[in-house]
Amino acid sequence: MGTTNTKWLNAEEMRAWTAFLATNALLYRRLDQQLKEDAGLTHLQYEILVRLSLSPDREMRMAELAEALYNTKSGLTYQITQMEKAGLVRRRSCPNDARAVFAVLTDAGRAKLESAAPGHVAAVRELLIDVLTPEQLTALADGLGEASRRMHDRQAADAGTR
């Protein structure tokens, strides 16, 4: 099962890894369920609305939005198509670059986000934030932030060598 140079996880490392896997899966599933029941949105659709609402002019290039959400361009295109049908977003072409397409938050999308946000935040608090002590929350943010930063840096370095 691997090479002799493999540095296997010790008991505490395995405990952390399995806790992360379980929490990630359960949290995503519960938040997705809450958003579907309360707002008729998937978790990804909610995150799209959030990202667009925080962007200048409530719009982002589709490629940048996909990257910000750690999603594929084709996966994002599917979601935007569904959300466009619901009137939550619209697409706009870029006059300077025929290949670039922007996703734009509509007024209906902003209203949907404003109505969905309180229930979503309450669920995030109940399921994760309020369960942890301030010290645990700081350690979680620091640790996962560092792991994310390193993966992002590695991805950027790998992309630069291609």
Side-chain angles (χ1 to χ4, degrees), residues 98-115:
R99 297 171 301 166
V101 177
F102 285 81
V104 182
L105 183 66
T106 64
D107 290 342
R110 179 124 181 137
K112 176 67 98 172
L113 177 61
E114 289 173 358
S115 70

Side-chain angles (χ1 to χ4, degrees), residues 44-63:
L44 179 56
Q45 290 169 342
Y46 179 84
E47 290 301 322
I48 290 168
L49 294 177
V50 168
R51 296 290 177 145
L52 292 175
S53 75
L54 297 174
S55 296
D57 300 323
R58 299 185 333 188
E59 65 180 25
M60 287 181 77
R61 283 181 183 244
M62 294 278 286

Side-chain angles (χ1 to χ4, degrees), residues 35-146:
L35 283 164
K36 284 178 183 173
E37 289 173 2
D38 293 354
L41 294 169
T42 66
H43 194 236
L44 179 56
Q45 290 169 342
Y46 179 84
E47 290 301 322
I48 290 168
L49 294 177
V50 168
R51 296 290 177 145
L52 292 175
S53 75
L54 297 174
S55 296
D57 300 323
R58 299 185 333 188
E59 65 180 25
M60 287 181 77
R61 283 181 183 244
M62 294 278 286
E64 291 171 2
L65 183 56
E67 186 176 318
L69 295 167
Y70 307 104
N71 204 314
T72 63
K73 291 177 189 176
S74 62
L76 179 67
T77 298
Y78 173 79
Q79 292 298 325
I80 293 295
T81 298
Q82 300 306 308
M83 296 172 75
E84 201 170 25
K85 289 176 185 174
L88 304 176
V89 298
R90 64 178 177 81
R91 285 179 239 222
R92 148 179 111 65
S93 300
C94 178
N96 304 335
D97 183 353
R99 297 171 301 166
V101 177
F102 285 81
V104 182
L105 183 66
T106 64
D107 290 342
R110 179 124 181 137
K112 176 67 98 172
L113 177 61
E114 289 173 358
S115 70
H120 180 66
V121 171
V124 169
R125 282 199 161 285
E126 174 192 344
L127 298 169
L128 183 67
I129 302 301
D130 293 344
V131 172
L132 302 174
T133 66
E135 295 78 17
Q136 290 170 325
L137 194 58
T138 297
L140 179 69
D142 289 348
L144 293 178
E146 179 62 16

